[in-house]
Amino acid sequence: MAHFVYNYSRQGKAAIGSPILDKFSHDDLLWQLRNLELLQWQAVDSSKVQGAMERMSFGELISTAETPLQIILAPIDRLGPSASSGLARALVQHYRIPTEYALESGLSLYSSVTNSFGTIEDGEECLFWAHSMVKTILLRFSDVGEPYIGVAKTGYLKSGDVFPQQDDTWAGAGFFLRWRPAKGKDRPGSIVMIVFTPHDALREAFRDLLPQPAWQETLADPLSLFVPVLEYLYLEIARAINAVMTVLKHVEKHVLKRASNQTNSLDFDFVGMNKISTHITHIRESCTSTLATVDRVRTHHESLLRSSTIPTSSSTRNTHQLLLHKQTLLQACATRVSSMESRMQNMANLAFNTVNQRDSRDMRADSQAMKVIAMMTMLFLPVTAVATVCGSNFVTYDQSTGRVGLAVNFGLFWAVTLPLTLIVFVAYGVSYAKWRGRVDKWRRNVGGAAKRK
């Protein structure tokens, strides 16, 4: 399988009509290609080291003389049909970035992998690449100071179809590094690193490396450049955790207040709690994927040390310790996410059970009303039955005189009705007592079994 995408001239000119850029106009191309930042380091003389940053186009980049250490900050690495993907295609082919990297970047943001780290050898050069995506949370506050998660509308939501505590944003970046180890004094080492879609915090992390006098140590330990990347990913995860925890504490306080005083309205925001739970799941995914990336980088760094591909020195040992430190930080984040998951589950259970208790209380009140109706029905049922059977035979009407009177056997009516009424109530009481006895016995058996467990 071919590892590289060639088909681009490295003679210092960008061929507008080449297959790389054939879908894009000249004006669109020039506008996009001015969004590169080049950070480069070189030794001016034996006593002075220079680090510089310059914004340039792709054509200017490939015409710039190579220096021992170059970091290129590129705006996008999506290889889809949009105009902004032309720059990514040009960089991929010019720097012979492996096709595996292109497959990972995907055709859109939603098809990208959440983490990856790969490495292969290309002759005397070593290639490293990585992708990372972490969940970000926008924390906002209402006019009365209540925290909530900001709403970020996405394309698949209709107008006005916005849910409480919704935020669909992710932070992603892609990294490619080409390292040529030094061989004696005749061939010094060199590094070219391309950072795709860097956020402002990540840009600043690499810009802070410009005045560092120990940049030459990086030429012997290229994986040290992944340390600021991992630190950036950790900080994004930590910010997301703190934002969700702030909102979670507020919602938890609201639920506890309503649950402790059930006379108030129990208008729990179950949709918002579901969204918070989804955010926690995405943050856990970010922790797990970033931990996997750290583990791969650290493991490969150890293999390079064992094989003496990179020298054992205080600088490489520091890199190893920093990678371990980032791993422990992310493990602490994962532990905190587990705590948030438990708190979220407990809070949702409390809200759900509180609503169930309120509904059960309302049902008991309705049951009492139905019991009164049943009692009245039983009271008049025998009378109705007897009157129906006997009809109007207990009442006499003398048409000649127009007088209404009682039949001779009217006493028989009560002699039959009163005993039947008493029998009905006694039968109800006996059957109800037996039913309650069976229920109480079942509850005792269930409670005893639960205690034994």
Side-chain angles (χ1 to χ4, degrees), residues 48-254:
K48 185 178 180 181
V49 175
Q50 181 179 0
M53 181 189 72
E54 184 178 358
R55 183 177 291 273
M56 60 180 58
S57 67
F58 177 72
E60 294 169 336
L61 174 66
I62 62 177
S63 301
T64 302
E66 292 187 2
T67 58
L69 176 57
Q70 291 182 329
I71 298 178
I72 303 167
L73 304 181
I76 194 167
D77 70 340
R78 308 302 173 200
L79 304 180
S82 64
S84 59
S85 66
L87 176 59
R89 292 179 181 273
L91 289 170
V92 164
Q93 297 195 26
H94 179 72
Y95 288 97
R96 296 181 294 124
I97 297 178
T99 54
E100 288 79 4
Y101 178 92
L103 291 174
E104 292 172 7
S105 65
L107 299 179
S108 68
L109 177 63
Y110 304 106
S111 63
S112 298
V113 297
T114 54
N115 83 92
S116 70
F117 178 79
T119 177
I120 58 175
E121 294 183 3
D122 178 24
E124 296 181 346
E125 296 180 332
C126 294
L127 310 181
F128 309 92
W129 69 90
H131 274 100
S132 292
M133 288 186 66
V134 294
K135 186 73 181 79
T136 56
I137 299 295
L138 177 60
L139 179 63
R140 295 182 176 179
F141 293 88
S142 65
D143 296 336
V144 295
E146 294 182 347
Y148 68 97
I149 295 175
V151 174
K153 296 185 68 175
T154 54
Y156 59 83
L157 287 176
K158 298 180 180 179
S159 177
D161 191 9
V162 178
F163 304 109
Q165 311 292 358
Q166 178 175 329
D167 189 342
D168 301 326
T169 57
W170 290 71
F175 312 92
F176 169 74
L177 189 147
R178 180 181 295 275
W179 175 47
R180 185 180 63 185
K183 282 195 174 181
K185 296 182 179 181
D186 297 334
R187 201 195 74 176
S190 65
I191 292 177
V192 175
M193 184 178 189
I194 305 177
V195 183
F196 291 96
T197 64
H199 289 243
D200 291 338
L202 190 54
R203 289 176 180 269
E204 291 299 324
F206 282 109
R207 289 168 184 162
D208 290 342
L209 299 177
L210 286 173
Q212 298 295 328
W215 65 272
Q216 289 179 318
E217 296 178 356
T218 304
L219 298 178
D221 189 8
L223 291 181
S224 62
L225 290 174
F226 281 93
V227 172
V229 172
L230 298 173
E231 183 173 353
Y232 156 75
L233 296 175
Y234 156 72
L235 290 175
E236 289 294 332
I237 293 173
R239 291 190 192 99
I241 291 175
N242 290 333
V244 172
M245 182 61 75
T246 301
V247 176
L248 182 61
K249 289 179 180 178
H250 174 74
V251 176
E252 190 176 45
K253 181 179 178 181
H254 171 81

Side-chain angles (χ1 to χ4, degrees), residues 136-440:
T136 56
I137 299 295
L138 177 60
L139 179 63
R140 295 182 176 179
F141 293 88
S142 65
D143 296 336
V144 295
E146 294 182 347
Y148 68 97
I149 295 175
V151 174
K153 296 185 68 175
T154 54
Y156 59 83
L157 287 176
K158 298 180 180 179
S159 177
D161 191 9
V162 178
F163 304 109
Q165 311 292 358
Q166 178 175 329
D167 189 342
D168 301 326
T169 57
W170 290 71
F175 312 92
F176 169 74
L177 189 147
R178 180 181 295 275
W179 175 47
R180 185 180 63 185
K183 282 195 174 181
K185 296 182 179 181
D186 297 334
R187 201 195 74 176
S190 65
I191 292 177
V192 175
M193 184 178 189
I194 305 177
V195 183
F196 291 96
T197 64
H199 289 243
D200 291 338
L202 190 54
R203 289 176 180 269
E204 291 299 324
F206 282 109
R207 289 168 184 162
D208 290 342
L209 299 177
L210 286 173
Q212 298 295 328
W215 65 272
Q216 289 179 318
E217 296 178 356
T218 304
L219 298 178
D221 189 8
L223 291 181
S224 62
L225 290 174
F226 281 93
V227 172
V229 172
L230 298 173
E231 183 173 353
Y232 156 75
L233 296 175
Y234 156 72
L235 290 175
E236 289 294 332
I237 293 173
R239 291 190 192 99
I241 291 175
N242 290 333
V244 172
M245 182 61 75
T246 301
V247 176
L248 182 61
K249 289 179 180 178
H250 174 74
V251 176
E252 190 176 45
K253 181 179 178 181
H254 171 81
V255 171
L256 290 173
K257 185 177 180 180
R258 295 298 176 90
S260 61
N261 186 10
Q262 296 187 22
T263 59
N264 294 332
S265 174
L266 300 180
D267 54 341
F268 297 117
D269 183 12
F270 286 103
V271 175
M273 285 190 282
N274 178 267
K275 281 295 180 182
I276 294 175
S277 180
T278 301
H279 295 324
I280 295 174
T281 301
H282 289 160
I283 295 174
R284 170 169 288 284
E285 178 185 359
S286 301
C287 284
T288 303
S289 61
T290 308
L291 269 171
T293 300
V294 174
D295 185 66
R296 281 297 313 273
V297 174
R298 183 181 58 82
T299 301
H300 193 69
H301 189 264
E302 291 176 351
S303 67
L304 292 178
L305 284 172
R306 286 194 301 267
S307 63
S308 299
T309 305
I310 59 177
T312 302
S313 63
S314 60
S315 176
T316 54
R317 286 193 294 269
N318 287 339
T319 299
H320 183 70
Q321 292 302 321
L322 288 173
L323 291 174
L324 285 175
H325 179 245
K326 299 300 179 289
Q327 189 173 30
T328 56
L329 290 176
L330 290 167
Q331 288 171 346
C333 287
T335 302
R336 197 173 182 195
V337 171
S338 298
S339 174
M340 286 198 305
E341 287 177 334
S342 299
R343 291 181 63 174
M344 186 68 216
Q345 184 63 45
N346 291 337
M347 182 178 64
N349 290 340
L350 176 60
F352 184 76
N353 292 334
T354 302
V355 172
N356 281 344
Q357 289 176 6
R358 191 271 309 272
D359 294 341
S360 177
R361 188 172 62 249
D362 294 342
M363 290 178 63
R364 286 198 299 270
D366 294 340
S367 176
Q368 291 296 329
M370 294 301 297
K371 188 181 296 184
V372 172
I373 295 174
M375 295 290 291
M376 295 300 295
T377 301
M378 287 191 298
L379 177 64
F380 290 100
L381 181 61
V383 178
T384 304
V386 173
T388 302
V389 173
C390 297
S392 60
N393 295 332
F394 294 115
V395 179
T396 61
Y397 175 71
D398 190 346
Q399 294 183 354
S400 61
T401 61
R403 298 180 60 183
V404 178
L406 297 176
V408 178
N409 59 350
F410 181 71
L412 179 63
F413 171 81
W414 292 109
V416 175
T417 299
L418 292 178
L420 283 177
T421 302
L422 180 62
I423 291 173
V424 169
F425 274 93
V426 170
Y428 167 77
V430 172
S431 61
Y432 180 77
K434 290 183 177 180
W435 175 79
R436 285 302 303 265
R438 290 195 299 268
V439 171
D440 293 339

